[in-house]
Amino acid sequence: MSPGRRCAYCGAPAGERDRVCYACLRPLSPVAVVVPPPAATAVIPQAAVVPPPPAGPAVSGGPAVPRVPSAGQLEIELRWGRYRQAVQVPERGCTFGSTSRSDVVVPATFLSPVHARVGRDGDGWYIEAVAPEANVLVRGEDVRRSALTGNETLRLGDQIGNVVTLRVLAGAVPAVGTYAGGLRAALPGPGAELSIGCDPRCDVRLSHALVRARHATLRCDSLGALWLEDKATVAGTYVNGERLKGRRHINQGDTLQIGPYSARVGRSELQALEQVAGVDIEVDAATLYAPGTADEQDPPRRALLRDVSLHLPPATLTAVAGPSGAGKTTLMRLLSGQVNADKGQVRYNGDDLAAFRHAHAPLMGFVPQDDIVHGDLNVHEALDYQARLRLPIDTAPGEREERIGQALRFVGLVAQSRQLVRTLSGGQRKRVSIASELLNDPEVLFLDEPTSGLDPGLDKRMMLLLRLLADQGRTVILTTHAITHVDVCDELVLVGPGGRIIYAAPPSEVTSWFGVETLGDVFSLVETPETSAEAAARVPASPGSSLVPRPPAAASRGQTAGVRLQFWSPAWRQVVRRQGTIFAERYVRLFSRDRSAMLFSLCQGVALALLAALVAPPSLQWGFEGRGGATTMFVVGCAVVWFGMINSVRELVKEKAIWQREQLVGAIVPAYLASKVVVLGVLAAFQTLTVLICLSLTVGLPSHGPVGAPFITMGITLWLANMSGIAIGLLVSALAPNSDRAMSIVPYLLIPQLVLSGVLFTLGDLGVLSFLISSRWSVSGLGGIAGDNAAALNETSGLYPGSLGGLMVDWMMLAVLAVVGVTLCARVLRRQARVRGLG
């Protein structure tokens, strides 16, 4: 210890190099005097500065010093955990650091002795990093020097994620909008037109990832009426919250929205509405019941969430924590509009989310707990496919690459861009999922358990990454079981048993509010719905609580805005063609990456033909006189149906989480299913070709049939049979909860194909039921081509028609079964989307 050097607060002796008193954990001062507690605002003198003591809990009390900064004087609020200090920066500027060498001493030992400097730059202010190892984070990015703007939040940090928060309160240059430009212009005159888009040649240029080069046009007809037309965009154009389909008449007072931009139609101009970074989310007394009951008094009626009232300001980071089963994920789904409250309301920037969800959906990001990227793609490929799906169709390849590069740089995966996703660590895969959400620059981002399965070091890095996302102007909401690093969040929302909010305020106050030592002790106090209800009753009185009483919400201005495009309209065909191409390209690439599965699928036809050749009689004769020919046709006809089922039964269920996320960004069922059917149809054609070639080289093919060459007619029959099997497999895949369950159903589907084919047994009265069985028609068509006779072979009557008309009936029934199966699959996918609140 240094003789004579003592703490200015508690008088404990201190060492020569100590920065913090280890008795009271307050910053050390070079002078041995007791300094009285500071007022609410500290004014830095021009001479030596005496470091202030750390503040206690951020509660009001004692005389407050009014904050009236002089013209141009900068005022900054400093926060670190429970520490609070307001600083008025003098004209000469000041420095921030962890020792008395700095003008403002912060009791955070991870900062450099002189970490950052704030100074004058003409009429404005700037901040710069002083120490080489110092991190200064402005709008989520590490900078060496940056201008300050009003109401801006900055971070001073180290290399491992510890941060101190600085917030500009007054005196800086007013903040500009988050986005370049604005939806403002004079209204066109009669016969004139106003173009809106990101192209520099447009009359109104809007710069955002969701805005197309020529996004919409506003035209005034000869009578003075205004007409707004959307140019078949993916993100859409909205009028009063309803998605515009084609062309629509608009009136004075209507609200237009394109991407994050909005404007009101005035008498002579489009009046741009204020651009707010992030989304202001309000929840008013929302209650959500478990589905399946009709009345609140019905005993089975169970509340998943009860009387939830929240206010989450824009550009903040909020953690939702609580015991398992309390309702964390349900709350996040409510906040994101995937489910609607049975009572109460959720509002985004004042709009009822239930009525306007699709207007906000393009600006949402959602990262579920499961990975939403394919493991057999490399990182760049995965992001490229997502960018092509999410960004406007006319986005240039160079611009798309730039957005991918920006996302990779932000999440720190540039070095892993050519690495397969499945070879990444759990934390890296989660960052790939986050990067895919950053491609379209969302304003609100939801993450379900982003830190699950990560070690403590990666957990902290992930929370810092989310902190930076909020600092860039996004509203970030995450659910978590890990409560170690929630101190970096602006808000902590605790959900207790029974779906009640038991705390909603800054995380620094939670332990004192509940009177416990650690955050983990809170959950031991609320282990039952009854104790949770008691804790929830105290929340409105909590100091600093986010639960602010709200007035009743105004009536919705519109109805739920659907995103389903009109069937077979030009916009619908364009979206199906574009998305279908993207899905098909990705499917082919994934198929080629799984070498074992690809070889198995490609060799199925060869194996079937060779096996049939091995068991067929040495001198096989086609027709009813040669029993071996009928048996061969039976085996081949049933096998190709099975090929179709086995090839497709896992194709939907194995990427269910990815598909559900892609639906949220506008992917449509017809495009997705079309990609599966087309690729699998090509595979079916290859399998058909190999079966026929191998059969012709081994046992031979029938010499003639009812029409045309047997090679061609048998090929059509086998391909249609395979396609009907594909339809059955896709339907099972859409219904199955997981891949294992889907595969376990396949044998049960094969048995009816064998029994009801009409070959093993004479069906009699069950013959009508066999009309729904694909193998009945495939075996019948093949037998007719071979010249078999059902009566002579004691098989079900109606099989093996030896005429062109009979063969056409077999083909038609196989095609009908395939179409019906795909249609039912599409209906299942749409119904699942409605259950999740996506349509």
Side-chain angles (χ1 to χ4, degrees), residues 743-764:
M743 290 299 296
S744 68
I745 295 174
V746 172
Y748 297 98
L749 297 176
L750 181 60
I751 292 172
Q753 299 291 334
L754 299 174
V755 174
L756 297 178
S757 64
V759 174
L760 298 179
F761 308 98
T762 303
L763 299 179

Side-chain angles (χ1 to χ4, degrees), residues 24-89:
C24 66
L25 300 180
R26 297 179 182 180
L28 288 172
S29 170
V31 292
V33 296
V34 178
V35 182
T41 302
V43 181
I44 301 175
Q46 299 294 330
V49 178
V50 177
V59 296
S60 58
V65 177
R67 292 191 282 108
V68 186
S70 60
Q73 187 172 15
L74 184 68
E75 187 172 356
I76 294 178
E77 180 188 37
L78 187 150
R79 296 183 181 184
W80 179 57
R82 299 165 67 88
Y83 183 89
R84 299 288 188 274
Q85 181 184 358
V87 177
Q88 286 188 359
V89 181

